[in-house]
Amino acid sequence: TSKKKSSYEIVTLTTWLLKQEQRGDIDGEMTIVLASISTACKQIASLVQRAPISDLTGVQGAVNVQGEDQKKLDVVSNEVFSSCLKSSGRTGVIASEEEDVPVAVEESYSGNYIVVFDPLDGSSNIDAAVSTGSIFGIYSPNDECLADIGDDATLDSVEQRCVVSVCQPGNNLLAAGYCMYSSSVIFVLTIGTGVYVFTLDPMYGEFVLTQEKVQIPKAGKIYAFNEGNYAMWDDKLKKYMDSLKEPGDSGKPYSARYIGSLVGDFHRTLLYGGIYGYPRDKKSKNGKLRLLYECAPMSFIVEQAGGKGSDGHQRILDITPTEIHQRVPLFIGSVEEVEKVEKFLA
Ligand code: AHG
Ligand code: MN
Ligand code: MN
Ligand code: MN
C-alpha cells in the first residue's frame, strides 16, 4: 500500500527563519530582528488597506528631511517600524527616510543590529489605493558608536557617531527585503542565500513561503522610467530611451510599465524581467532615490536573484554613502537590460 500522502507542509516566515537559524545562516538576534520587521509590515498592511476608513489618507501637514510633504501614513508607518524594532531589543541603531538623523536605540540590550528602512515607499499612491511598500536593510552592529549610551555622552553625540556606522556600502548588508502592499501582501527577503518570497495569508495573519531562490530573467522587454523627465535627461540616456521604441529584429518594441512605487515596479521586474530606472536629470543631479534604504537593499536582492543594480557606471553595492539620505541614480533589473543602458551611458 502506498504511504498516505502527508498533508502538504506549509512553511511560514517564522518556521523558515527558525530553520535558517538552525542552519547557522543567521543568529538568534537577527532572527528576532527579522521577525519584528515582519510584524511591522503586517501592521502597516492593515493600516494601508483601511486607510480611507480610518482617515489615514492625505498629508500630515509637515515636510520631511527630503523636502517632501509627509503623508499621514509616512509618519504612522515610521512609528510602527521604529517601535517594532525598538521592542525587539536587538536593534542598536535605526535610520529611516522619515528621520533626519540616525536614532540610537536605548532599549537595545543585545545584537545591536543596524537597521535602515523606507517605512512607506510610493506613498504618493496611498490616496488612490495603488501599490505601496516598505523597504529595509540590516547591517552588523558597530558597537563603538553605541558606547557609553546613558553615561555622560548625550544621545545626539552618540547619534552623530552612529552616522558613520550607518553609512556602510551595500556590500556589507547581512539581510535586505521589502513588503509590497498590493492585491497580495508580499514579503521578499534575502539573507545572502538567495531570494525568498512569502505571501500573507490573511486567514491567520502569517507570511507563507510561496517562492524560493527566485531568479530574475536575463533579459526582459519591459521598462519602468518616469519619461515625464525625458527633456531633462542627458543625450546618451535619450538615445537609450529612443532605442527601446524601435521594433528591432523581434519586430516588437519594449512595453512601458510605471506605477510610481519602486517596490511595485521592482517586484514586477524581479519576476517578469526588464529594467527600472531613476536617472539623474538637470533638476535632480543625483536622481531621486536614496542609496541607503532604497537602492542598496534592492540591489542586494536583485544580485541574489542573478540581476544587476547600477548607478549607470558602477555597482550600487560598491558605493559607500557619505550621508544617510544621499541620492544616487538607479538602473536595476535583468543583467542584459542594465548592461544595455550602461553601454549607452559609457
Ligand atoms: P517614497 O514614496 O518612499 O518617497 O519613494 C518614492 C519613489 C519611488 O517609490 C518611486 O519609484 C519614485 O519615487 C517615483 O518618483 P516620480 O514620482 O518622480 O516618478
Ligand atoms: Mn518619501
Ligand atoms: Mn521610497
Ligand atoms: Mn518612503
Side-chain angles (χ1 to χ4, degrees):
T1 54
S2 65
K3 205 155 103 11
K4 186 169 164 313
K5 189 174 171 315
S6 69
S7 66
Y8 64 95
E9 184 204 4
I10 292 178
V11 177
T12 64
L13 178 61
T14 310
T15 50
W16 185 84
L17 286 173
L18 292 172
K19 209 175 287 177
Q20 309 323 305
E21 188 199 353
Q22 209 177 7
R23 288 162 47 98
D25 290 338
I26 46 175
D27 66 14
E29 321 288 47
M30 169 70 80
T31 306
I32 290 168
V33 172
L34 286 167
S36 74
I37 288 172
S38 75
T39 301
C41 292
K42 284 192 262 188
Q43 290 173 9
I44 295 169
S46 95
L47 289 168
V48 161
Q49 281 165 354
R50 304 177 69 256
I53 298 165
S54 5
D55 186 26
L56 279 177
T57 55
V59 291
Q60 173 80 4
V63 176
N64 65 10
V65 69
Q66 320 286 341
E68 302 164 345
D69 288 333
Q70 274 181 317
K71 304 293 182 297
K72 287 181 196 164
L73 270 176
D74 278 324
V75 176
V76 172
S77 309
N78 186 51
E79 282 157 11
V80 167
F81 236 97
S82 304
S83 66
C84 284
L85 286 169
K86 287 178 180 173
S87 54
S88 79
R90 273 42 172 211
T91 307
V93 183
I94 53 182
S96 162
E97 179 199 352
E98 306 302 338
E99 299 283 350
D100 296 12
V101 293
V103 176
V105 179
E106 292 173 77
E107 296 86 334
S108 178
Y109 58 87
S110 103
N112 281 339
Y113 280 103
I114 294 171
V115 183
V116 301
F117 58 92
D118 175 354
L120 195 64
D121 174 69
S123 56
S124 61
N125 281 326
I126 276 293
D127 293 5
V130 174
S131 311
T132 52
S134 303
I135 309 170
F136 63 90
I138 305 178
Y139 289 98
S140 60
N142 167 318
D143 291 340
E144 74 257 21
C145 98
L146 293 170
D148 61 32
I149 285 188
D151 300 354
D152 55 342
T154 58
L155 258 192
D156 59 15
S157 70
V158 173
E159 262 141 23
Q160 278 319 314
R161 278 210 303 280
C162 288
V163 169
V164 175
S165 71
V166 167
C167 289
Q168 302 185 39
N171 286 323
N172 294 2
L173 279 165
L174 300 175
Y178 57 84
C179 192
M180 180 175 72
Y181 311 117
S182 184
S183 49
S184 300
V185 177
I186 303 282
F187 190 87
V188 174
L189 174 64
T190 184
I191 56 172
T193 60
V195 176
Y196 292 80
V197 180
F198 301 82
T199 303
L200 183 66
D201 184 336
M203 298 299 281
Y204 61 110
E206 279 284 353
F207 282 111
V208 174
L209 180 67
T210 43
Q211 268 179 284
E212 38 193 322
K213 292 203 176 291
V214 172
Q215 286 297 300
I216 183 171
K218 287 285 162 252
K221 298 192 80 170
I222 303 172
Y223 70 99
F225 285 68
N226 181 344
E227 288 190 75
N229 297 325
Y230 182 92
M232 297 189 294
W233 290 346
D234 62 48
D235 291 344
K236 292 179 176 176
L237 189 72
K238 288 181 179 172
K239 284 201 177 52
Y240 162 72
M241 189 47 61
D242 298 343
S243 77
L244 301 188
K245 296 173 176 145
E246 287 146 19
D249 42 16
S250 70
K252 247 171 70 50
Y254 280 56
S255 290
R257 292 282 185 280
Y258 192 73
I259 66 165
S261 279
L262 171 62
V263 169
D265 282 317
F266 177 85
H267 192 64
R268 183 200 55 250
T269 305
L270 178 70
L271 300 186
Y272 295 1
I275 182 167
Y276 170 95
Y278 209 104
R280 66 165 54 90
D281 60 43
K282 289 198 184 71
K283 194 172 40 89
S284 323
K285 292 267 175 301
N286 294 311
K288 172 181 181 182
L289 298 181
R290 283 60 52 122
L291 171 60
L292 192 66
Y293 40 77
E294 289 174 313
C295 304
M298 292 313 213
S299 296
F300 183 31
I301 294 164
V302 85
E303 288 199 3
Q304 284 286 313
K308 211 169 155 75
S310 165
D311 71 351
H313 305 284
Q314 63 181 319
R315 269 175 91 234
I316 291 288
L317 297 182
D318 290 335
I319 305 174
T320 299
T322 47
E323 61 100 22
I324 64 167
H325 299 298
Q326 172 179 340
R327 298 169 195 259
V328 291
L330 178 68
F331 300 91
I332 190 164
S334 300
V335 171
E336 288 177 21
E337 304 309 331
V338 176
E339 286 175 352
K340 181 184 280 189
V341 67
E342 286 180 328
K343 273 201 201 81
F344 274 87
L345 296 178

